[in-house]
Amino acid sequence: MREGMALIVHSSLSSLGRVEGGAAAVAASLREAVGPGGTVAAPTFTSDTVRDPAPGHPGPPTPGIAEQRAAVPLFHPGLPCSTGAVAEALRALPESHRSTHPQVSVAAVGTHAREVTARRSLGFAVGRESPFGALHDLGGHVLLVGVGHDRNTFLHYAETFAPNRRLKLRRFPMAIQGERVWIEAPDVADDNGTHFPVVGREFEERAGIREAFVGSAPCRLLPVRDLIPFAVRRLTELLAADGPGAA
């Protein structure tokens, strides 16, 4: 890493081994590494919390389903995330900014934090008009700390540009003009370890990415602007080989 860099970190705190100061110390170390002109972001997703408990139920809800749906929290900046201790530590910093997608938010600190988190699209929430698009425009990097490419959200970003992208429907509550409503929005589907590990490994080999260890954790730093065109091309090829309806 270098001073002034913009990066998004996907991490497993436990992979590092014992860390004095825990997740807060890791977040502080990342900020120190990029310096005062840099930006550190992390996915602060709440898709396990802000989701429809009965997504397959058609029509008006039964009383039981209505009760379950009413218990689903509305997204707010202070809602804890489900994407790891380091991401949560970054989100909780007083100077942290957070984007506002109900399920796929990003928290960031540093020079470009406000710029990164200002973008939001309800549909294709990890696509061009998202914090990931902003990090791409900044020439950002992905830092993987003790995790694989199945956790690399920039591969979802790449898939939004593939002509044969896999699709799913997100469903979440929002408050609109004081009324609580449920929103449906399309997005790229989950990979579930099908293609992302292959694409990530191939890119690392092609780009000469070297793995380094911090504590017990294998770490890789990948330049987004090089990763995305490679990943779009390979995902397009792999998805075409799957054939129609494979998702």
Side-chain angles (χ1 to χ4, degrees), residues 75-245:
F75 175 82
H76 58 86
L79 188 67
C81 72
S82 57
T83 41
V86 175
E88 178 62 13
L90 195 77
R91 180 205 67 77
L93 291 171
E95 65 273 33
S96 179
H97 296 269
R98 190 179 190 182
S99 63
T100 58
H101 191 281
Q103 290 184 341
V104 195
S105 65
V106 168
V109 295
T111 298
H112 296 288
R114 190 181 299 275
E115 175 184 349
V116 167
T117 58
R119 291 196 192 180
R120 184 190 77 171
S121 173
L122 293 180
F124 296 98
V126 297
R128 187 74 189 87
E129 296 304 319
S130 76
F132 297 92
L135 285 163
H136 174 276
D137 292 349
L138 288 168
H141 286 70
V142 181
L143 177 62
L144 302 177
V145 179
V147 299
H149 285 282
D150 56 333
R151 295 272 296 276
N152 182 356
T153 307
F154 259 108
L155 292 178
H156 288 292
Y157 174 85
E159 189 168 345
T160 66
F161 298 100
N164 47 356
R165 61 195 178 188
R166 298 162 291 183
L167 297 174
K168 70 178 181 182
L169 195 66
R170 294 187 180 277
R171 201 161 189 276
F172 43 80
M174 291 184 68
I176 298 179
Q177 295 182 343
E179 182 180 0
R180 180 186 172 100
V181 298
W182 283 86
I183 303 294
E184 291 185 346
D187 210 339
V188 288
D190 301 331
D191 180 68
N192 296 318
T194 303
H195 296 310
F196 288 2
V198 173
V199 173
R201 183 181 67 250
E202 290 180 353
F203 175 76
E204 289 184 22
E205 293 171 353
R206 178 181 180 274
I209 302 297
R210 295 185 178 182
E211 185 177 84
F213 278 82
V214 176
S216 303
C219 302
R220 282 100 77 209
L221 186 67
L222 302 95
V224 169
R225 286 184 178 171
D226 293 337
L227 171 65
I228 296 308
F230 177 87
V232 172
R233 177 177 61 81
R234 286 297 289 130
L235 284 169
T236 299
E237 294 168 348
L238 291 166
L239 294 171
D242 288 344

Side-chain angles (χ1 to χ4, degrees), residues 53-54 61-70:
T62 65
I65 290 175
E67 183 178 357
Q68 291 176 24
R69 287 177 175 168

